[in-house]
mmCIF file with all atom_site columns, all heavy atoms in Angstrom:
data_model
loop_
_atom_site.group_PDB
_atom_site.id
_atom_site.type_symbol
_atom_site.label_atom_id
_atom_site.label_alt_id
_atom_site.label_comp_id
_atom_site.label_asym_id
_atom_site.label_entity_id
_atom_site.label_seq_id
_atom_site.pdbx_PDB_ins_code
_atom_site.Cartn_x
_atom_site.Cartn_y
_atom_site.Cartn_z
_atom_site.occupancy
_atom_site.B_iso_or_equiv
_atom_site.pdbx_formal_charge
_atom_site.auth_seq_id
_atom_site.auth_comp_id
_atom_site.auth_asym_id
_atom_site.auth_atom_id
_atom_site.pdbx_PDB_model_num
ATOM 1   N N   . SER A 1 38 ? 30.467 6.336  6.450   1.00 70.00 ? 38 SER A N   1
ATOM 2   C CA  . SER A 1 38 ? 29.437 7.157  5.812   1.00 70.00 ? 38 SER A CA  1
ATOM 3   C C   . SER A 1 38 ? 29.927 8.603  5.728   1.00 70.00 ? 38 SER A C   1
ATOM 4   O O   . SER A 1 38 ? 30.767 9.032  6.495   1.00 70.00 ? 38 SER A O   1
ATOM 5   C CB  . SER A 1 38 ? 28.165 7.078  6.655   1.00 70.00 ? 38 SER A CB  1
ATOM 6   O OG  . SER A 1 38 ? 27.271 8.065  6.287   1.00 70.00 ? 38 SER A OG  1
ATOM 7   N N   . VAL A 1 39 ? 29.347 9.337  4.806   1.00 67.00 ? 39 VAL A N   1
ATOM 8   C CA  . VAL A 1 39 ? 29.666 10.751 4.694   1.00 67.00 ? 39 VAL A CA  1
ATOM 9   C C   . VAL A 1 39 ? 29.236 11.518 5.957   1.00 67.00 ? 39 VAL A C   1
ATOM 10  O O   . VAL A 1 39 ? 29.802 12.530 6.343   1.00 67.00 ? 39 VAL A O   1
ATOM 11  C CB  . VAL A 1 39 ? 29.041 11.382 3.441   1.00 67.00 ? 39 VAL A CB  1
ATOM 12  C CG1 . VAL A 1 39 ? 27.534 11.458 3.562   1.00 67.00 ? 39 VAL A CG1 1
ATOM 13  C CG2 . VAL A 1 39 ? 29.632 12.722 3.135   1.00 67.00 ? 39 VAL A CG2 1
ATOM 14  N N   . ASP A 1 40 ? 28.277 10.943 6.700   1.00 71.00 ? 40 ASP A N   1
ATOM 15  C CA  . ASP A 1 40 ? 27.815 11.550 7.950   1.00 71.00 ? 40 ASP A CA  1
ATOM 16  C C   . ASP A 1 40 ? 28.904 11.524 9.018   1.00 71.00 ? 40 ASP A C   1
ATOM 17  O O   . ASP A 1 40 ? 28.850 12.311 9.975   1.00 71.00 ? 40 ASP A O   1
ATOM 18  C CB  . ASP A 1 40 ? 26.564 10.832 8.461   1.00 71.00 ? 40 ASP A CB  1
ATOM 19  C CG  . ASP A 1 40 ? 25.382 10.963 7.520   1.00 71.00 ? 40 ASP A CG  1
ATOM 20  O OD1 . ASP A 1 40 ? 25.373 11.957 6.750   1.00 71.00 ? 40 ASP A OD1 1
ATOM 21  O OD2 . ASP A 1 40 ? 24.530 10.076 7.515   1.00 71.00 ? 40 ASP A OD2 1
ATOM 22  N N   . ASP A 1 41 ? 29.885 10.620 8.843   1.00 68.00 ? 41 ASP A N   1
ATOM 23  C CA  . ASP A 1 41 ? 31.009 10.549 9.812   1.00 68.00 ? 41 ASP A CA  1
ATOM 24  C C   . ASP A 1 41 ? 32.023 11.642 9.606   1.00 68.00 ? 41 ASP A C   1
ATOM 25  O O   . ASP A 1 41 ? 32.965 11.754 10.364  1.00 68.00 ? 41 ASP A O   1
ATOM 26  C CB  . ASP A 1 41 ? 31.685 9.149  9.703   1.00 68.00 ? 41 ASP A CB  1
ATOM 27  C CG  . ASP A 1 41 ? 30.760 8.026  10.115  1.00 68.00 ? 41 ASP A CG  1
ATOM 28  O OD1 . ASP A 1 41 ? 29.805 8.292  10.904  1.00 68.00 ? 41 ASP A OD1 1
ATOM 29  O OD2 . ASP A 1 41 ? 30.963 6.904  9.637   1.00 68.00 ? 41 ASP A OD2 1
ATOM 30  N N   . GLU A 1 42 ? 31.851 12.433 8.576   1.00 66.00 ? 42 GLU A N   1
ATOM 31  C CA  . GLU A 1 42 ? 32.788 13.514 8.260   1.00 66.00 ? 42 GLU A CA  1
ATOM 32  C C   . GLU A 1 42 ? 32.002 14.829 8.088   1.00 66.00 ? 42 GLU A C   1
ATOM 33  O O   . GLU A 1 42 ? 31.887 15.352 6.965   1.00 66.00 ? 42 GLU A O   1
ATOM 34  C CB  . GLU A 1 42 ? 33.581 13.211 6.993   1.00 66.00 ? 42 GLU A CB  1
ATOM 35  C CG  . GLU A 1 42 ? 34.457 12.017 7.099   1.00 66.00 ? 42 GLU A CG  1
ATOM 36  C CD  . GLU A 1 42 ? 35.307 11.807 5.865   1.00 66.00 ? 42 GLU A CD  1
ATOM 37  O OE1 . GLU A 1 42 ? 34.772 11.286 4.881   1.00 66.00 ? 42 GLU A OE1 1
ATOM 38  O OE2 . GLU A 1 42 ? 36.466 12.186 5.891   1.00 66.00 ? 42 GLU A OE2 1
ATOM 39  N N   . PRO A 1 43 ? 31.484 15.403 9.154   1.00 69.00 ? 43 PRO A N   1
ATOM 40  C CA  . PRO A 1 43 ? 30.627 16.605 8.998   1.00 69.00 ? 43 PRO A CA  1
ATOM 41  C C   . PRO A 1 43 ? 31.394 17.862 8.626   1.00 69.00 ? 43 PRO A C   1
ATOM 42  O O   . PRO A 1 43 ? 30.801 18.825 8.170   1.00 69.00 ? 43 PRO A O   1
ATOM 43  C CB  . PRO A 1 43 ? 29.983 16.746 10.353  1.00 69.00 ? 43 PRO A CB  1
ATOM 44  C CG  . PRO A 1 43 ? 30.944 16.067 11.281  1.00 69.00 ? 43 PRO A CG  1
ATOM 45  C CD  . PRO A 1 43 ? 31.582 14.979 10.522  1.00 69.00 ? 43 PRO A CD  1
ATOM 46  N N   . ASP A 1 44 ? 32.716 17.884 8.811   1.00 78.00 ? 44 ASP A N   1
ATOM 47  C CA  . ASP A 1 44 ? 33.474 19.147 8.611   1.00 78.00 ? 44 ASP A CA  1
ATOM 48  C C   . ASP A 1 44 ? 34.175 19.189 7.248   1.00 78.00 ? 44 ASP A C   1
ATOM 49  O O   . ASP A 1 44 ? 35.136 19.954 7.078   1.00 78.00 ? 44 ASP A O   1
ATOM 50  C CB  . ASP A 1 44 ? 34.523 19.289 9.705   1.00 78.00 ? 44 ASP A CB  1
ATOM 51  C CG  . ASP A 1 44 ? 33.877 19.403 11.094  1.00 78.00 ? 44 ASP A CG  1
ATOM 52  O OD1 . ASP A 1 44 ? 32.756 19.982 11.159  1.00 78.00 ? 44 ASP A OD1 1
ATOM 53  O OD2 . ASP A 1 44 ? 34.456 18.930 12.071  1.00 78.00 ? 44 ASP A OD2 1
ATOM 54  N N   . LEU A 1 45 ? 33.721 18.427 6.292   1.00 81.00 ? 45 LEU A N   1
ATOM 55  C CA  . LEU A 1 45 ? 34.378 18.426 4.980   1.00 81.00 ? 45 LEU A CA  1
ATOM 56  C C   . LEU A 1 45 ? 34.214 19.783 4.297   1.00 81.00 ? 45 LEU A C   1
ATOM 57  O O   . LEU A 1 45 ? 33.165 20.426 4.408   1.00 81.00 ? 45 LEU A O   1
ATOM 58  C CB  . LEU A 1 45 ? 33.746 17.337 4.068   1.00 81.00 ? 45 LEU A CB  1
ATOM 59  C CG  . LEU A 1 45 ? 34.069 15.882 4.469   1.00 81.00 ? 45 LEU A CG  1
ATOM 60  C CD1 . LEU A 1 45 ? 33.310 14.943 3.557   1.00 81.00 ? 45 LEU A CD1 1
ATOM 61  C CD2 . LEU A 1 45 ? 35.539 15.615 4.409   1.00 81.00 ? 45 LEU A CD2 1
ATOM 62  N N   . GLN A 1 46 ? 35.266 20.174 3.613   1.00 84.00 ? 46 GLN A N   1
ATOM 63  C CA  . GLN A 1 46 ? 35.263 21.457 2.884   1.00 84.00 ? 46 GLN A CA  1
ATOM 64  C C   . GLN A 1 46 ? 35.055 21.162 1.406   1.00 84.00 ? 46 GLN A C   1
ATOM 65  O O   . GLN A 1 46 ? 36.008 20.858 0.708   1.00 84.00 ? 46 GLN A O   1
ATOM 66  C CB  . GLN A 1 46 ? 36.558 22.196 3.119   1.00 84.00 ? 46 GLN A CB  1
ATOM 67  C CG  . GLN A 1 46 ? 36.838 22.522 4.555   1.00 84.00 ? 46 GLN A CG  1
ATOM 68  C CD  . GLN A 1 46 ? 35.815 23.452 5.158   1.00 84.00 ? 46 GLN A CD  1
ATOM 69  O OE1 . GLN A 1 46 ? 35.498 24.460 4.535   1.00 84.00 ? 46 GLN A OE1 1
ATOM 70  N NE2 . GLN A 1 46 ? 35.351 23.153 6.341   1.00 84.00 ? 46 GLN A NE2 1
ATOM 71  N N   . TYR A 1 47 ? 33.829 21.205 0.927   1.00 87.00 ? 47 TYR A N   1
ATOM 72  C CA  . TYR A 1 47 ? 33.540 20.927 -0.475  1.00 87.00 ? 47 TYR A CA  1
ATOM 73  C C   . TYR A 1 47 ? 33.938 22.085 -1.340  1.00 87.00 ? 47 TYR A C   1
ATOM 74  O O   . TYR A 1 47 ? 33.669 23.250 -0.993  1.00 87.00 ? 47 TYR A O   1
ATOM 75  C CB  . TYR A 1 47 ? 32.044 20.629 -0.662  1.00 87.00 ? 47 TYR A CB  1
ATOM 76  C CG  . TYR A 1 47 ? 31.671 19.236 -0.165  1.00 87.00 ? 47 TYR A CG  1
ATOM 77  C CD1 . TYR A 1 47 ? 31.224 19.028 1.096   1.00 87.00 ? 47 TYR A CD1 1
ATOM 78  C CD2 . TYR A 1 47 ? 31.764 18.140 -1.037  1.00 87.00 ? 47 TYR A CD2 1
ATOM 79  C CE1 . TYR A 1 47 ? 30.856 17.781 1.526   1.00 87.00 ? 47 TYR A CE1 1
ATOM 80  C CE2 . TYR A 1 47 ? 31.405 16.884 -0.614  1.00 87.00 ? 47 TYR A CE2 1
ATOM 81  C CZ  . TYR A 1 47 ? 30.959 16.705 0.679   1.00 87.00 ? 47 TYR A CZ  1
ATOM 82  O OH  . TYR A 1 47 ? 30.615 15.454 1.111   1.00 87.00 ? 47 TYR A OH  1
ATOM 83  N N   . LYS A 1 48 ? 34.575 21.799 -2.479  1.00 91.00 ? 48 LYS A N   1
ATOM 84  C CA  . LYS A 1 48 ? 34.958 22.818 -3.442  1.00 91.00 ? 48 LYS A CA  1
ATOM 85  C C   . LYS A 1 48 ? 34.286 22.489 -4.771  1.00 91.00 ? 48 LYS A C   1
ATOM 86  O O   . LYS A 1 48 ? 34.157 21.343 -5.164  1.00 91.00 ? 48 LYS A O   1
ATOM 87  C CB  . LYS A 1 48 ? 36.466 22.832 -3.625  1.00 91.00 ? 48 LYS A CB  1
ATOM 88  C CG  . LYS A 1 48 ? 37.213 23.240 -2.357  1.00 91.00 ? 48 LYS A CG  1
ATOM 89  C CD  . LYS A 1 48 ? 38.693 23.228 -2.576  1.00 91.00 ? 48 LYS A CD  1
ATOM 90  C CE  . LYS A 1 48 ? 39.402 23.558 -1.280  1.00 91.00 ? 48 LYS A CE  1
ATOM 91  N NZ  . LYS A 1 48 ? 40.824 23.387 -1.369  1.00 91.00 ? 48 LYS A NZ  1
ATOM 92  N N   . THR A 1 49 ? 33.878 23.560 -5.484  1.00 93.00 ? 49 THR A N   1
ATOM 93  C CA  . THR A 1 49 ? 33.233 23.350 -6.785  1.00 93.00 ? 49 THR A CA  1
ATOM 94  C C   . THR A 1 49 ? 34.234 22.818 -7.796  1.00 93.00 ? 49 THR A C   1
ATOM 95  O O   . THR A 1 49 ? 35.300 23.407 -7.983  1.00 93.00 ? 49 THR A O   1
ATOM 96  C CB  . THR A 1 49 ? 32.641 24.679 -7.274  1.00 93.00 ? 49 THR A CB  1
ATOM 97  O OG1 . THR A 1 49 ? 31.645 25.100 -6.354  1.00 93.00 ? 49 THR A OG1 1
ATOM 98  C CG2 . THR A 1 49 ? 32.027 24.522 -8.663  1.00 93.00 ? 49 THR A CG2 1
ATOM 99  N N   . LEU A 1 50 ? 33.893 21.675 -8.391  1.00 91.00 ? 50 LEU A N   1
ATOM 100 C CA  . LEU A 1 50 ? 34.745 21.111 -9.437  1.00 91.00 ? 50 LEU A CA  1
ATOM 101 C C   . LEU A 1 50 ? 34.284 21.645 -10.799 1.00 91.00 ? 50 LEU A C   1
ATOM 102 O O   . LEU A 1 50 ? 35.075 22.019 -11.624 1.00 91.00 ? 50 LEU A O   1
ATOM 103 C CB  . LEU A 1 50 ? 34.666 19.624 -9.381  1.00 91.00 ? 50 LEU A CB  1
ATOM 104 C CG  . LEU A 1 50 ? 35.719 18.804 -10.122 1.00 91.00 ? 50 LEU A CG  1
ATOM 105 C CD1 . LEU A 1 50 ? 37.122 19.220 -9.718  1.00 91.00 ? 50 LEU A CD1 1
ATOM 106 C CD2 . LEU A 1 50 ? 35.521 17.349 -9.890  1.00 91.00 ? 50 LEU A CD2 1
ATOM 107 N N   . PHE A 1 51 ? 32.977 21.629 -11.000 1.00 93.00 ? 51 PHE A N   1
ATOM 108 C CA  . PHE A 1 51 ? 32.399 22.233 -12.220 1.00 93.00 ? 51 PHE A CA  1
ATOM 109 C C   . PHE A 1 51 ? 30.915 22.514 -12.037 1.00 93.00 ? 51 PHE A C   1
ATOM 110 O O   . PHE A 1 51 ? 30.276 21.864 -11.208 1.00 93.00 ? 51 PHE A O   1
ATOM 111 C CB  . PHE A 1 51 ? 32.681 21.389 -13.469 1.00 93.00 ? 51 PHE A CB  1
ATOM 112 C CG  . PHE A 1 51 ? 32.037 20.022 -13.478 1.00 93.00 ? 51 PHE A CG  1
ATOM 113 C CD1 . PHE A 1 51 ? 30.776 19.838 -13.994 1.00 93.00 ? 51 PHE A CD1 1
ATOM 114 C CD2 . PHE A 1 51 ? 32.709 18.923 -12.985 1.00 93.00 ? 51 PHE A CD2 1
ATOM 115 C CE1 . PHE A 1 51 ? 30.188 18.584 -14.023 1.00 93.00 ? 51 PHE A CE1 1
ATOM 116 C CE2 . PHE A 1 51 ? 32.168 17.665 -13.008 1.00 93.00 ? 51 PHE A CE2 1
ATOM 117 C CZ  . PHE A 1 51 ? 30.884 17.481 -13.501 1.00 93.00 ? 51 PHE A CZ  1
ATOM 118 N N   . GLU A 1 52 ? 30.412 23.422 -12.813 1.00 94.00 ? 52 GLU A N   1
ATOM 119 C CA  . GLU A 1 52 ? 28.996 23.723 -12.843 1.00 94.00 ? 52 GLU A CA  1
ATOM 120 C C   . GLU A 1 52 ? 28.466 23.123 -14.129 1.00 94.00 ? 52 GLU A C   1
ATOM 121 O O   . GLU A 1 52 ? 29.085 23.285 -15.190 1.00 94.00 ? 52 GLU A O   1
ATOM 122 C CB  . GLU A 1 52 ? 28.750 25.224 -12.801 1.00 94.00 ? 52 GLU A CB  1
ATOM 123 C CG  . GLU A 1 52 ? 29.251 25.849 -11.509 1.00 94.00 ? 52 GLU A CG  1
ATOM 124 C CD  . GLU A 1 52 ? 29.184 27.354 -11.522 1.00 94.00 ? 52 GLU A CD  1
ATOM 125 O OE1 . GLU A 1 52 ? 28.490 27.913 -12.394 1.00 94.00 ? 52 GLU A OE1 1
ATOM 126 O OE2 . GLU A 1 52 ? 29.846 27.948 -10.665 1.00 94.00 ? 52 GLU A OE2 1
ATOM 127 N N   . TYR A 1 53 ? 27.369 22.433 -14.063 1.00 93.00 ? 53 TYR A N   1
ATOM 128 C CA  . TYR A 1 53 ? 26.830 21.772 -15.232 1.00 93.00 ? 53 TYR A CA  1
ATOM 129 C C   . TYR A 1 53 ? 25.478 22.345 -15.628 1.00 93.00 ? 53 TYR A C   1
ATOM 130 O O   . TYR A 1 53 ? 24.731 22.845 -14.803 1.00 93.00 ? 53 TYR A O   1
ATOM 131 C CB  . TYR A 1 53 ? 26.723 20.259 -15.032 1.00 93.00 ? 53 TYR A CB  1
ATOM 132 C CG  . TYR A 1 53 ? 25.778 19.833 -13.941 1.00 93.00 ? 53 TYR A CG  1
ATOM 133 C CD1 . TYR A 1 53 ? 24.432 19.598 -14.204 1.00 93.00 ? 53 TYR A CD1 1
ATOM 134 C CD2 . TYR A 1 53 ? 26.221 19.682 -12.606 1.00 93.00 ? 53 TYR A CD2 1
ATOM 135 C CE1 . TYR A 1 53 ? 23.580 19.211 -13.216 1.00 93.00 ? 53 TYR A CE1 1
ATOM 136 C CE2 . TYR A 1 53 ? 25.361 19.296 -11.630 1.00 93.00 ? 53 TYR A CE2 1
ATOM 137 C CZ  . TYR A 1 53 ? 24.027 19.058 -11.918 1.00 93.00 ? 53 TYR A CZ  1
ATOM 138 O OH  . TYR A 1 53 ? 23.169 18.701 -10.942 1.00 93.00 ? 53 TYR A OH  1
ATOM 139 N N   . ASP A 1 54 ? 25.187 22.261 -16.921 1.00 95.00 ? 54 ASP A N   1
ATOM 140 C CA  . ASP A 1 54 ? 23.894 22.638 -17.476 1.00 95.00 ? 54 ASP A CA  1
ATOM 141 C C   . ASP A 1 54 ? 23.715 21.792 -18.730 1.00 95.00 ? 54 ASP A C   1
ATOM 142 O O   . ASP A 1 54 ? 24.234 22.144 -19.788 1.00 95.00 ? 54 ASP A O   1
ATOM 143 C CB  . ASP A 1 54 ? 23.847 24.142 -17.778 1.00 95.00 ? 54 ASP A CB  1
ATOM 144 C CG  . ASP A 1 54 ? 22.435 24.572 -18.142 1.00 95.00 ? 54 ASP A CG  1
ATOM 145 O OD1 . ASP A 1 54 ? 21.508 23.737 -18.035 1.00 95.00 ? 54 ASP A OD1 1
ATOM 146 O OD2 . ASP A 1 54 ? 22.264 25.752 -18.524 1.00 95.00 ? 54 ASP A OD2 1
ATOM 147 N N   . PHE A 1 55 ? 23.015 20.717 -18.606 1.00 94.00 ? 55 PHE A N   1
ATOM 148 C CA  . PHE A 1 55 ? 22.906 19.748 -19.704 1.00 94.00 ? 55 PHE A CA  1
ATOM 149 C C   . PHE A 1 55 ? 21.950 20.216 -20.784 1.00 94.00 ? 55 PHE A C   1
ATOM 150 O O   . PHE A 1 55 ? 20.902 20.813 -20.513 1.00 94.00 ? 55 PHE A O   1
ATOM 151 C CB  . PHE A 1 55 ? 22.410 18.384 -19.178 1.00 94.00 ? 55 PHE A CB  1
ATOM 152 C CG  . PHE A 1 55 ? 23.430 17.634 -18.421 1.00 94.00 ? 55 PHE A CG  1
ATOM 153 C CD1 . PHE A 1 55 ? 23.420 17.607 -17.042 1.00 94.00 ? 55 PHE A CD1 1
ATOM 154 C CD2 . PHE A 1 55 ? 24.439 16.946 -19.082 1.00 94.00 ? 55 PHE A CD2 1
ATOM 155 C CE1 . PHE A 1 55 ? 24.362 16.906 -16.300 1.00 94.00 ? 55 PHE A CE1 1
ATOM 156 C CE2 . PHE A 1 55 ? 25.407 16.265 -18.374 1.00 94.00 ? 55 PHE A CE2 1
ATOM 157 C CZ  . PHE A 1 55 ? 25.376 16.233 -16.976 1.00 94.00 ? 55 PHE A CZ  1
ATOM 158 N N   . GLU A 1 56 ? 22.352 19.945 -22.006 1.00 94.00 ? 56 GLU A N   1
ATOM 159 C CA  . GLU A 1 56 ? 21.521 20.132 -23.189 1.00 94.00 ? 56 GLU A CA  1
ATOM 160 C C   . GLU A 1 56 ? 21.274 18.754 -23.788 1.00 94.00 ? 56 GLU A C   1
ATOM 161 O O   . GLU A 1 56 ? 22.200 17.941 -23.826 1.00 94.00 ? 56 GLU A O   1
ATOM 162 C CB  . GLU A 1 56 ? 22.211 21.023 -24.212 1.00 94.00 ? 56 GLU A CB  1
ATOM 163 C CG  . GLU A 1 56 ? 22.481 22.409 -23.764 1.00 94.00 ? 56 GLU A CG  1
ATOM 164 C CD  . GLU A 1 56 ? 23.285 23.184 -24.802 1.00 94.00 ? 56 GLU A CD  1
ATOM 165 O OE1 . GLU A 1 56 ? 23.654 22.633 -25.854 1.00 94.00 ? 56 GLU A OE1 1
ATOM 166 O OE2 . GLU A 1 56 ? 23.539 24.371 -24.539 1.00 94.00 ? 56 GLU A OE2 1
ATOM 167 N N   . THR A 1 57 ? 20.073 18.489 -24.221 1.00 93.00 ? 57 THR A N   1
ATOM 168 C CA  . THR A 1 57 ? 19.809 17.198 -24.820 1.00 93.00 ? 57 THR A CA  1
ATOM 169 C C   . THR A 1 57 ? 19.980 17.293 -26.335 1.00 93.00 ? 57 THR A C   1
ATOM 170 O O   . THR A 1 57 ? 19.374 18.131 -27.001 1.00 93.00 ? 57 THR A O   1
ATOM 171 C CB  . THR A 1 57 ? 18.352 16.756 -24.503 1.00 93.00 ? 57 THR A CB  1
ATOM 172 O OG1 . THR A 1 57 ? 18.178 16.726 -23.088 1.00 93.00 ? 57 THR A OG1 1
ATOM 173 C CG2 . THR A 1 57 ? 18.081 15.385 -25.095 1.00 93.00 ? 57 THR A CG2 1
#
Side-chain angles (χ1 to χ4, degrees):
S38 166
V39 70
D40 298 333
D41 295 335
E42 297 185 280
D44 299 327
L45 290 176
Q46 301 296 314
Y47 284 92
K48 295 179 183 171
T49 297
L50 195 55
F51 63 90
E52 297 173 16
Y53 63 89
D54 189 6
F55 286 101
E56 297 176 358
T57 303

